Amino acid sequence: MAEQTTYIMVKPDGVQRGLTEEIISRFEGIGLTLVGRRDLTPDLEIAESHYGIHKERPFYPDLIDFITSGPVVAMAWRGEDAIAASRKLIGATNWEEAEPGTIRADFARSIDHNVIHGSDGEETASFELGLWFPEGLDG
Ligand code: IDP
Ligand code: MG
């Protein structure tokens, strides 16, 4: 497996609950390196691009409201097999189905406010990194 960079975002609920540092430690704990970080409140334009794939889903309007509701921590993490390793660390979308010890199993308590986002594949990762880090990454 080659080195990859993935897009990870602490969602507004995670930031508001003070989980950012704990989440960063967990990514460091699996050996990934933080190569970009931006703290921002997403505007409608970036939120709609990021979640464009879910436009037809019933939960889309609530998802956009939620993700634009307050600050997020947008991050780029790099390392061996970073995309799948991060998804594993994060756990299933629905916290009730997430493996014990994953971030969502430990901290999420609803399917929509589930603390964290992680890219689900190489194409998604490169799209999302370009969207959230238009000026590029460190290193
Ligand atoms: P993922 O975040 O695990 O990749 P996706 O299926 O890509 O999950 O969904 C994106 C986000 O949309 C989820 O993280 C969650 O916040 C929200 N979401 C997904 N499915 C539902 C649902 O059935 N009800 C409400 N919100 C949902
Ligand atoms: Mg997804």
Side-chain angles (χ1 to χ4, degrees):
M1 245 307 164
E3 184 175 80
Q4 297 174 328
T5 309
T6 190
Y7 177 67
I8 301 297
M9 172 167 65
V10 184
K11 295 182 180 183
D13 58 330
V15 174
Q16 205 271 326
R17 290 168 59 196
L19 298 174
T20 302
E21 294 316 311
E22 167 70 25
I23 287 169
I24 287 174
S25 309
R26 291 192 183 205
F27 279 83
E28 288 170 345
I30 61 164
L32 299 182
T33 304
L34 186 62
V35 293
R37 171 175 176 165
R38 285 178 67 206
D39 295 53
L40 74 158
T41 297
D43 61 21
L44 202 54
E45 190 186 351
I46 199 165
E48 288 181 339
S49 303
H50 179 81
Y51 281 128
I53 195 163
H54 295 305
K55 205 160 47 201
E56 308 305 331
R57 308 284 287 277
F59 58 80
Y60 179 75
D62 287 343
L63 181 57
I64 296 299
D65 282 350
F66 167 55
I67 210 71
T68 57
S69 67
V72 302
V73 181
M75 296 181 284
W77 286 90
R78 184 172 293 160
E80 204 65 14
D81 202 14
I83 297 170
S86 298
R87 294 283 291 191
K88 194 168 173 219
L89 183 66
I90 288 169
T93 308
N94 183 350
W95 68 278
E96 292 175 302
E97 290 163 10
E99 284 285 311
T102 59
I103 292 169
R104 283 171 172 165
D106 288 350
F107 300 118
R109 287 298 175 266
S110 79
I111 190 171
D112 46 345
H113 295 189
N114 57 9
V115 177
I116 184 166
H117 166 84
S119 307
D120 63 7
E122 286 189 41
E123 270 181 43
T124 323
S126 85
F127 169 75
E128 292 173 351
L129 290 166
L131 179 67
W132 294 90
F133 294 94
E135 286 162 19
L137 301 171
D138 312 337

PDB file of all heavy atoms in Angstrom, residues 91-125:
ATOM      1  N   GLY A  91     -14.913   4.676  12.244  1.00  0.00           N
ATOM      2  CA  GLY A  91     -16.048   3.783  12.483  1.00  0.00           C
ATOM      3  C   GLY A  91     -17.219   4.071  11.563  1.00  0.00           C
ATOM      4  O   GLY A  91     -17.241   5.058  10.841  1.00  0.00           O
ATOM      5  N   ALA A  92     -18.221   3.201  11.626  1.00  0.00           N
ATOM      6  CA  ALA A  92     -19.371   3.274  10.721  1.00  0.00           C
ATOM      7  C   ALA A  92     -20.144   4.583  10.894  1.00  0.00           C
ATOM      8  O   ALA A  92     -20.147   5.176  11.977  1.00  0.00           O
ATOM      9  CB  ALA A  92     -20.293   2.086  10.976  1.00  0.00           C
ATOM     10  N   THR A  93     -20.820   4.982   9.812  1.00  0.00           N
ATOM     11  CA  THR A  93     -21.622   6.209   9.808  1.00  0.00           C
ATOM     12  C   THR A  93     -22.591   6.232  10.994  1.00  0.00           C
ATOM     13  O   THR A  93     -22.725   7.245  11.677  1.00  0.00           O
ATOM     14  CB  THR A  93     -22.438   6.287   8.495  1.00  0.00           C
ATOM     15  OG1 THR A  93     -21.546   6.105   7.400  1.00  0.00           O
ATOM     16  CG2 THR A  93     -23.145   7.626   8.374  1.00  0.00           C
ATOM     17  N   ASN A  94     -23.270   5.107  11.184  1.00  0.00           N
ATOM     18  CA  ASN A  94     -24.205   4.965  12.303  1.00  0.00           C
ATOM     19  C   ASN A  94     -23.434   4.482  13.535  1.00  0.00           C
ATOM     20  O   ASN A  94     -22.934   3.362  13.556  1.00  0.00           O
ATOM     21  CB  ASN A  94     -25.289   3.955  11.915  1.00  0.00           C
ATOM     22  CG  ASN A  94     -26.328   3.811  13.004  1.00  0.00           C
ATOM     23  OD1 ASN A  94     -26.170   4.315  14.117  1.00  0.00           O
ATOM     24  ND2 ASN A  94     -27.397   3.120  12.679  1.00  0.00           N
ATOM     25  N   TRP A  95     -23.334   5.314  14.543  1.00  0.00           N
ATOM     26  CA  TRP A  95     -22.511   5.001  15.722  1.00  0.00           C
ATOM     27  C   TRP A  95     -22.914   3.686  16.382  1.00  0.00           C
ATOM     28  O   TRP A  95     -22.094   3.004  16.983  1.00  0.00           O
ATOM     29  CB  TRP A  95     -22.601   6.145  16.742  1.00  0.00           C
ATOM     30  CG  TRP A  95     -23.953   6.269  17.370  1.00  0.00           C
ATOM     31  CD1 TRP A  95     -25.038   6.902  16.846  1.00  0.00           C
ATOM     32  CD2 TRP A  95     -24.373   5.721  18.618  1.00  0.00           C
ATOM     33  NE1 TRP A  95     -26.107   6.784  17.686  1.00  0.00           N
ATOM     34  CE2 TRP A  95     -25.724   6.069  18.796  1.00  0.00           C
ATOM     35  CE3 TRP A  95     -23.737   4.973  19.619  1.00  0.00           C
ATOM     36  CZ2 TRP A  95     -26.461   5.691  19.916  1.00  0.00           C
ATOM     37  CZ3 TRP A  95     -24.472   4.596  20.735  1.00  0.00           C
ATOM     38  CH2 TRP A  95     -25.810   4.952  20.884  1.00  0.00           C
ATOM     39  N   GLU A  96     -24.191   3.305  16.229  1.00  0.00           N
ATOM     40  CA  GLU A  96     -24.645   2.046  16.841  1.00  0.00           C
ATOM     41  C   GLU A  96     -24.050   0.827  16.147  1.00  0.00           C
ATOM     42  O   GLU A  96     -24.040  -0.266  16.710  1.00  0.00           O
ATOM     43  CB  GLU A  96     -26.176   1.959  16.807  1.00  0.00           C
ATOM     44  CG  GLU A  96     -26.825   2.981  17.720  1.00  0.00           C
ATOM     45  CD  GLU A  96     -28.345   2.989  17.604  1.00  0.00           C
ATOM     46  OE1 GLU A  96     -28.857   3.210  16.487  1.00  0.00           O
ATOM     47  OE2 GLU A  96     -29.002   2.767  18.634  1.00  0.00           O
ATOM     48  N   GLU A  97     -23.587   1.022  14.913  1.00  0.00           N
ATOM     49  CA  GLU A  97     -22.958  -0.074  14.166  1.00  0.00           C
ATOM     50  C   GLU A  97     -21.431   0.043  14.153  1.00  0.00           C
ATOM     51  O   GLU A  97     -20.743  -0.807  13.587  1.00  0.00           O
ATOM     52  CB  GLU A  97     -23.478  -0.072  12.719  1.00  0.00           C
ATOM     53  CG  GLU A  97     -24.934  -0.491  12.650  1.00  0.00           C
ATOM     54  CD  GLU A  97     -25.603  -0.117  11.331  1.00  0.00           C
ATOM     55  OE1 GLU A  97     -24.893   0.306  10.387  1.00  0.00           O
ATOM     56  OE2 GLU A  97     -26.833  -0.237  11.267  1.00  0.00           O
ATOM     57  N   ALA A  98     -20.911   1.093  14.753  1.00  0.00           N
ATOM     58  CA  ALA A  98     -19.460   1.319  14.722  1.00  0.00           C
ATOM     59  C   ALA A  98     -18.756   0.359  15.673  1.00  0.00           C
ATOM     60  O   ALA A  98     -19.247   0.056  16.765  1.00  0.00           O
ATOM     61  CB  ALA A  98     -19.161   2.769  15.094  1.00  0.00           C
ATOM     62  N   GLU A  99     -17.594  -0.144  15.247  1.00  0.00           N
ATOM     63  CA  GLU A  99     -16.764  -1.033  16.068  1.00  0.00           C
ATOM     64  C   GLU A  99     -16.401  -0.359  17.394  1.00  0.00           C
ATOM     65  O   GLU A  99     -16.054   0.835  17.386  1.00  0.00           O
ATOM     66  CB  GLU A  99     -15.440  -1.305  15.336  1.00  0.00           C
ATOM     67  CG  GLU A  99     -15.531  -2.277  14.192  1.00  0.00           C
ATOM     68  CD  GLU A  99     -15.664  -3.707  14.684  1.00  0.00           C
ATOM     69  OE1 GLU A  99     -14.865  -4.108  15.566  1.00  0.00           O
ATOM     70  OE2 GLU A  99     -16.563  -4.407  14.204  1.00  0.00           O
ATOM     71  N   PRO A 100     -16.422  -1.118  18.492  1.00  0.00           N
ATOM     72  CA  PRO A 100     -15.970  -0.552  19.772  1.00  0.00           C
ATOM     73  C   PRO A 100     -14.565   0.038  19.633  1.00  0.00           C
ATOM     74  O   PRO A 100     -13.728  -0.520  18.929  1.00  0.00           O
ATOM     75  CB  PRO A 100     -15.945  -1.762  20.710  1.00  0.00           C
ATOM     76  CG  PRO A 100     -16.874  -2.763  20.098  1.00  0.00           C
ATOM     77  CD  PRO A 100     -16.832  -2.529  18.614  1.00  0.00           C
ATOM     78  N   GLY A 101     -14.345   1.162  20.282  1.00  0.00           N
ATOM     79  CA  GLY A 101     -13.021   1.788  20.233  1.00  0.00           C
ATOM     80  C   GLY A 101     -12.835   2.747  19.081  1.00  0.00           C
ATOM     81  O   GLY A 101     -11.832   3.460  19.025  1.00  0.00           O
ATOM     82  N   THR A 102     -13.793   2.784  18.147  1.00  0.00           N
ATOM     83  CA  THR A 102     -13.692   3.771  17.074  1.00  0.00           C
ATOM     84  C   THR A 102     -14.190   5.128  17.601  1.00  0.00           C
ATOM     85  O   THR A 102     -14.868   5.208  18.632  1.00  0.00           O
ATOM     86  CB  THR A 102     -14.525   3.364  15.849  1.00  0.00           C
ATOM     87  OG1 THR A 102     -15.900   3.221  16.243  1.00  0.00           O
ATOM     88  CG2 THR A 102     -14.023   2.051  15.253  1.00  0.00           C
ATOM     89  N   ILE A 103     -13.836   6.178  16.876  1.00  0.00           N
ATOM     90  CA  ILE A 103     -14.198   7.532  17.316  1.00  0.00           C
ATOM     91  C   ILE A 103     -15.720   7.683  17.403  1.00  0.00           C
ATOM     92  O   ILE A 103     -16.247   8.220  18.376  1.00  0.00           O
ATOM     93  CB  ILE A 103     -13.577   8.575  16.365  1.00  0.00           C
ATOM     94  CG1 ILE A 103     -12.041   8.562  16.516  1.00  0.00           C
ATOM     95  CG2 ILE A 103     -14.141   9.974  16.644  1.00  0.00           C
ATOM     96  CD1 ILE A 103     -11.286   9.346  15.453  1.00  0.00           C
ATOM     97  N   ARG A 104     -16.426   7.185  16.400  1.00  0.00           N
ATOM     98  CA  ARG A 104     -17.890   7.330  16.438  1.00  0.00           C
ATOM     99  C   ARG A 104     -18.527   6.462  17.519  1.00  0.00           C
ATOM    100  O   ARG A 104     -19.468   6.878  18.185  1.00  0.00           O
ATOM    101  CB  ARG A 104     -18.484   7.046  15.064  1.00  0.00           C
ATOM    102  CG  ARG A 104     -18.286   8.234  14.106  1.00  0.00           C
ATOM    103  CD  ARG A 104     -18.666   7.876  12.695  1.00  0.00           C
ATOM    104  NE  ARG A 104     -18.680   9.021  11.801  1.00  0.00           N
ATOM    105  CZ  ARG A 104     -18.704   8.903  10.479  1.00  0.00           C
ATOM    106  NH1 ARG A 104     -18.716   7.716   9.904  1.00  0.00           N
ATOM    107  NH2 ARG A 104     -18.717   9.995   9.718  1.00  0.00           N
ATOM    108  N   ALA A 105     -18.023   5.243  17.720  1.00  0.00           N
ATOM    109  CA  ALA A 105     -18.574   4.396  18.791  1.00  0.00           C
ATOM    110  C   ALA A 105     -18.383   5.082  20.141  1.00  0.00           C
ATOM    111  O   ALA A 105     -19.259   5.044  21.000  1.00  0.00           O
ATOM    112  CB  ALA A 105     -17.907   3.029  18.785  1.00  0.00           C
ATOM    113  N   ASP A 106     -17.242   5.725  20.317  1.00  0.00           N
ATOM    114  CA  ASP A 106     -16.938   6.339  21.610  1.00  0.00           C
ATOM    115  C   ASP A 106     -17.661   7.670  21.828  1.00  0.00           C
ATOM    116  O   ASP A 106     -18.007   7.998  22.960  1.00  0.00           O
ATOM    117  CB  ASP A 106     -15.424   6.568  21.748  1.00  0.00           C
ATOM    118  CG  ASP A 106     -14.674   5.253  21.959  1.00  0.00           C
ATOM    119  OD1 ASP A 106     -15.327   4.223  22.189  1.00  0.00           O
ATOM    120  OD2 ASP A 106     -13.425   5.273  21.892  1.00  0.00           O
ATOM    121  N   PHE A 107     -17.868   8.433  20.755  1.00  0.00           N
ATOM    122  CA  PHE A 107     -18.342   9.811  20.954  1.00  0.00           C
ATOM    123  C   PHE A 107     -19.659  10.165  20.274  1.00  0.00           C
ATOM    124  O   PHE A 107     -20.344  11.078  20.726  1.00  0.00           O
ATOM    125  CB  PHE A 107     -17.272  10.806  20.496  1.00  0.00           C
ATOM    126  CG  PHE A 107     -15.984  10.675  21.249  1.00  0.00           C
ATOM    127  CD1 PHE A 107     -14.813  10.331  20.588  1.00  0.00           C
ATOM    128  CD2 PHE A 107     -15.948  10.876  22.623  1.00  0.00           C
ATOM    129  CE1 PHE A 107     -13.614  10.197  21.289  1.00  0.00           C
ATOM    130  CE2 PHE A 107     -14.754  10.751  23.330  1.00  0.00           C
ATOM    131  CZ  PHE A 107     -13.581  10.408  22.662  1.00  0.00           C
ATOM    132  N   ALA A 108     -20.007   9.537  19.150  1.00  0.00           N
ATOM    133  CA  ALA A 108     -21.233   9.940  18.456  1.00  0.00           C
ATOM    134  C   ALA A 108     -22.432   9.318  19.151  1.00  0.00           C
ATOM    135  O   ALA A 108     -22.351   8.213  19.677  1.00  0.00           O
ATOM    136  CB  ALA A 108     -21.180   9.492  16.998  1.00  0.00           C
ATOM    137  N   ARG A 109     -23.537  10.041  19.159  1.00  0.00           N
ATOM    138  CA  ARG A 109     -24.754   9.478  19.723  1.00  0.00           C
ATOM    139  C   ARG A 109     -25.945   9.741  18.805  1.00  0.00           C
ATOM    140  O   ARG A 109     -27.094   9.621  19.207  1.00  0.00           O
ATOM    141  CB  ARG A 109     -25.016  10.026  21.137  1.00  0.00           C
ATOM    142  CG  ARG A 109     -24.053   9.451  22.174  1.00  0.00           C
ATOM    143  CD  ARG A 109     -24.187   7.930  22.311  1.00  0.00           C
ATOM    144  NE  ARG A 109     -23.199   7.333  23.223  1.00  0.00           N
ATOM    145  CZ  ARG A 109     -22.031   6.820  22.836  1.00  0.00           C
ATOM    146  NH1 ARG A 109     -21.655   6.842  21.562  1.00  0.00           N
ATOM    147  NH2 ARG A 109     -21.221   6.292  23.719  1.00  0.00           N
ATOM    148  N   SER A 110     -25.682  10.082  17.561  1.00  0.00           N
ATOM    149  CA  SER A 110     -26.744  10.147  16.555  1.00  0.00           C
ATOM    150  C   SER A 110     -26.106   9.975  15.184  1.00  0.00           C
ATOM    151  O   SER A 110     -24.905  10.215  15.021  1.00  0.00           O
ATOM    152  CB  SER A 110     -27.532  11.454  16.642  1.00  0.00           C
ATOM    153  OG  SER A 110     -26.828  12.509  16.041  1.00  0.00           O
ATOM    154  N   ILE A 111     -26.892   9.518  14.216  1.00  0.00           N
ATOM    155  CA  ILE A 111     -26.333   9.230  12.893  1.00  0.00           C
ATOM    156  C   ILE A 111     -25.997  10.511  12.144  1.00  0.00           C
ATOM    157  O   ILE A 111     -25.068  10.541  11.335  1.00  0.00           O
ATOM    158  CB  ILE A 111     -27.268   8.321  12.055  1.00  0.00           C
ATOM    159  CG1 ILE A 111     -26.555   7.847  10.783  1.00  0.00           C
ATOM    160  CG2 ILE A 111     -28.578   9.014  11.735  1.00  0.00           C
ATOM    161  CD1 ILE A 111     -27.289   6.798   9.990  1.00  0.00           C
ATOM    162  N   ASP A 112     -26.724  11.581  12.403  1.00  0.00           N
ATOM    163  CA  ASP A 112     -26.457  12.816  11.658  1.00  0.00           C
ATOM    164  C   ASP A 112     -25.361  13.654  12.317  1.00  0.00           C
ATOM    165  O   ASP A 112     -24.516  14.213  11.631  1.00  0.00           O
ATOM    166  CB  ASP A 112     -27.747  13.617  11.435  1.00  0.00           C
ATOM    167  CG  ASP A 112     -28.599  13.741  12.683  1.00  0.00           C
ATOM    168  OD1 ASP A 112     -28.363  12.987  13.658  1.00  0.00           O
ATOM    169  OD2 ASP A 112     -29.502  14.583  12.682  1.00  0.00           O
ATOM    170  N   HIS A 113     -25.347  13.698  13.651  1.00  0.00           N
ATOM    171  CA  HIS A 113     -24.286  14.432  14.342  1.00  0.00           C
ATOM    172  C   HIS A 113     -23.273  13.405  14.823  1.00  0.00           C
ATOM    173  O   HIS A 113     -23.296  12.980  15.973  1.00  0.00           O
ATOM    174  CB  HIS A 113     -24.854  15.244  15.504  1.00  0.00           C
ATOM    175  CG  HIS A 113     -25.790  16.327  15.065  1.00  0.00           C
ATOM    176  ND1 HIS A 113     -26.282  17.279  15.910  1.00  0.00           N
ATOM    177  CD2 HIS A 113     -26.296  16.619  13.844  1.00  0.00           C
ATOM    178  CE1 HIS A 113     -27.075  18.115  15.232  1.00  0.00           C
ATOM    179  NE2 HIS A 113     -27.095  17.723  13.974  1.00  0.00           N
ATOM    180  N   ASN A 114     -22.385  13.019  13.906  1.00  0.00           N
ATOM    181  CA  ASN A 114     -21.493  11.889  14.214  1.00  0.00           C
ATOM    182  C   ASN A 114     -20.027  12.297  14.279  1.00  0.00           C
ATOM    183  O   ASN A 114     -19.139  11.523  13.989  1.00  0.00           O
ATOM    184  CB  ASN A 114     -21.745  10.731  13.242  1.00  0.00           C
ATOM    185  CG  ASN A 114     -21.561  11.149  11.801  1.00  0.00           C
ATOM    186  OD1 ASN A 114     -21.091  12.257  11.527  1.00  0.00           O
ATOM    187  ND2 ASN A 114     -21.893  10.279  10.870  1.00  0.00           N
ATOM    188  N   VAL A 115     -19.779  13.555  14.685  1.00  0.00           N
ATOM    189  CA  VAL A 115     -18.478  14.046  15.180  1.00  0.00           C
ATOM    190  C   VAL A 115     -17.396  14.293  14.139  1.00  0.00           C
ATOM    191  O   VAL A 115     -16.637  15.250  14.247  1.00  0.00           O
ATOM    192  CB  VAL A 115     -17.919  13.091  16.288  1.00  0.00           C
ATOM    193  CG1 VAL A 115     -16.542  13.512  16.766  1.00  0.00           C
ATOM    194  CG2 VAL A 115     -18.878  12.988  17.458  1.00  0.00           C
ATOM    195  N   ILE A 116     -17.329  13.435  13.120  1.00  0.00           N
ATOM    196  CA  ILE A 116     -16.150  13.473  12.251  1.00  0.00           C
ATOM    197  C   ILE A 116     -16.477  12.985  10.841  1.00  0.00           C
ATOM    198  O   ILE A 116     -17.359  12.142  10.652  1.00  0.00           O
ATOM    199  CB  ILE A 116     -15.009  12.639  12.895  1.00  0.00           C
ATOM    200  CG1 ILE A 116     -13.708  12.720  12.094  1.00  0.00           C
ATOM    201  CG2 ILE A 116     -15.440  11.184  13.123  1.00  0.00           C
ATOM    202  CD1 ILE A 116     -12.486  12.218  12.846  1.00  0.00           C
ATOM    203  N   HIS A 117     -15.749  13.540   9.871  1.00  0.00           N
ATOM    204  CA  HIS A 117     -15.830  13.097   8.478  1.00  0.00           C
ATOM    205  C   HIS A 117     -14.472  12.567   8.038  1.00  0.00           C
ATOM    206  O   HIS A 117     -13.441  13.103   8.435  1.00  0.00           O
ATOM    207  CB  HIS A 117     -16.202  14.284   7.568  1.00  0.00           C
ATOM    208  CG  HIS A 117     -15.973  13.984   6.117  1.00  0.00           C
ATOM    209  ND1 HIS A 117     -16.908  13.328   5.352  1.00  0.00           N
ATOM    210  CD2 HIS A 117     -14.893  14.183   5.303  1.00  0.00           C
ATOM    211  CE1 HIS A 117     -16.411  13.156   4.122  1.00  0.00           C
ATOM    212  NE2 HIS A 117     -15.199  13.671   4.073  1.00  0.00           N
ATOM    213  N   GLY A 118     -14.477  11.542   7.180  1.00  0.00           N
ATOM    214  CA  GLY A 118     -13.240  11.081   6.540  1.00  0.00           C
ATOM    215  C   GLY A 118     -13.518  10.653   5.112  1.00  0.00           C
ATOM    216  O   GLY A 118     -14.533   9.999   4.846  1.00  0.00           O
ATOM    217  N   SER A 119     -12.627  11.008   4.203  1.00  0.00           N
ATOM    218  CA  SER A 119     -12.797  10.646   2.792  1.00  0.00           C
ATOM    219  C   SER A 119     -12.955   9.135   2.634  1.00  0.00           C
ATOM    220  O   SER A 119     -12.290   8.360   3.322  1.00  0.00           O
ATOM    221  CB  SER A 119     -11.574  11.066   1.967  1.00  0.00           C
ATOM    222  OG  SER A 119     -11.278  12.423   2.154  1.00  0.00           O
ATOM    223  N   ASP A 120     -13.790   8.723   1.675  1.00  0.00           N
ATOM    224  CA  ASP A 120     -14.078   7.291   1.524  1.00  0.00           C
ATOM    225  C   ASP A 120     -13.320   6.609   0.392  1.00  0.00           C
ATOM    226  O   ASP A 120     -13.536   5.431   0.133  1.00  0.00           O
ATOM    227  CB  ASP A 120     -15.588   7.056   1.390  1.00  0.00           C
ATOM    228  CG  ASP A 120     -16.179   7.702   0.147  1.00  0.00           C
ATOM    229  OD1 ASP A 120     -15.418   8.233  -0.696  1.00  0.00           O
ATOM    230  OD2 ASP A 120     -17.420   7.671   0.018  1.00  0.00           O
ATOM    231  N   GLY A 121     -12.448   7.334  -0.320  1.00  0.00           N
ATOM    232  CA  GLY A 121     -11.683   6.698  -1.397  1.00  0.00           C
ATOM    233  C   GLY A 121     -10.698   7.709  -1.971  1.00  0.00           C
ATOM    234  O   GLY A 121     -10.697   8.877  -1.577  1.00  0.00           O
ATOM    235  N   GLU A 122      -9.879   7.235  -2.913  1.00  0.00           N
ATOM    236  CA  GLU A 122      -8.826   8.112  -3.437  1.00  0.00           C
ATOM    237  C   GLU A 122      -9.374   9.313  -4.185  1.00  0.00           C
ATOM    238  O   GLU A 122      -8.870  10.434  -4.043  1.00  0.00           O
ATOM    239  CB  GLU A 122      -7.895   7.320  -4.359  1.00  0.00           C
ATOM    240  CG  GLU A 122      -6.971   6.402  -3.580  1.00  0.00           C
ATOM    241  CD  GLU A 122      -5.891   5.777  -4.455  1.00  0.00           C
ATOM    242  OE1 GLU A 122      -5.338   6.482  -5.322  1.00  0.00           O
ATOM    243  OE2 GLU A 122      -5.627   4.576  -4.271  1.00  0.00           O
ATOM    244  N   GLU A 123     -10.417   9.075  -5.013  1.00  0.00           N
ATOM    245  CA  GLU A 123     -10.980  10.194  -5.777  1.00  0.00           C
ATOM    246  C   GLU A 123     -11.621  11.219  -4.865  1.00  0.00           C
ATOM    247  O   GLU A 123     -11.478  12.427  -5.056  1.00  0.00           O
ATOM    248  CB  GLU A 123     -12.041   9.688  -6.757  1.00  0.00           C
ATOM    249  CG  GLU A 123     -11.468   9.328  -8.102  1.00  0.00           C
ATOM    250  CD  GLU A 123     -12.548   8.860  -9.073  1.00  0.00           C
ATOM    251  OE1 GLU A 123     -13.625   9.492  -9.104  1.00  0.00           O
ATOM    252  OE2 GLU A 123     -12.288   7.863  -9.774  1.00  0.00           O
ATOM    253  N   THR A 124     -12.378  10.711  -3.877  1.00  0.00           N
ATOM    254  CA  THR A 124     -13.023  11.605  -2.914  1.00  0.00           C
ATOM    255  C   THR A 124     -11.969  12.400  -2.153  1.00  0.00           C
ATOM    256  O   THR A 124     -12.122  13.602  -1.932  1.00  0.00           O
ATOM    257  CB  THR A 124     -13.869  10.800  -1.907  1.00  0.00           C
ATOM    258  OG1 THR A 124     -14.471   9.709  -2.588  1.00  0.00           O
ATOM    259  CG2 THR A 124     -14.916  11.651  -1.265  1.00  0.00           C
ATOM    260  N   ALA A 125     -10.912  11.722  -1.732  1.00  0.00           N
ATOM    261  CA  ALA A 125      -9.857  12.398  -0.970  1.00  0.00           C
ATOM    262  C   ALA A 125      -9.248  13.531  -1.785  1.00  0.00           C
ATOM    263  O   ALA A 125      -9.090  14.650  -1.283  1.00  0.00           O
ATOM    264  CB  ALA A 125      -8.782  11.398  -0.544  1.00  0.00           C
TER     265      ALA A 125
END
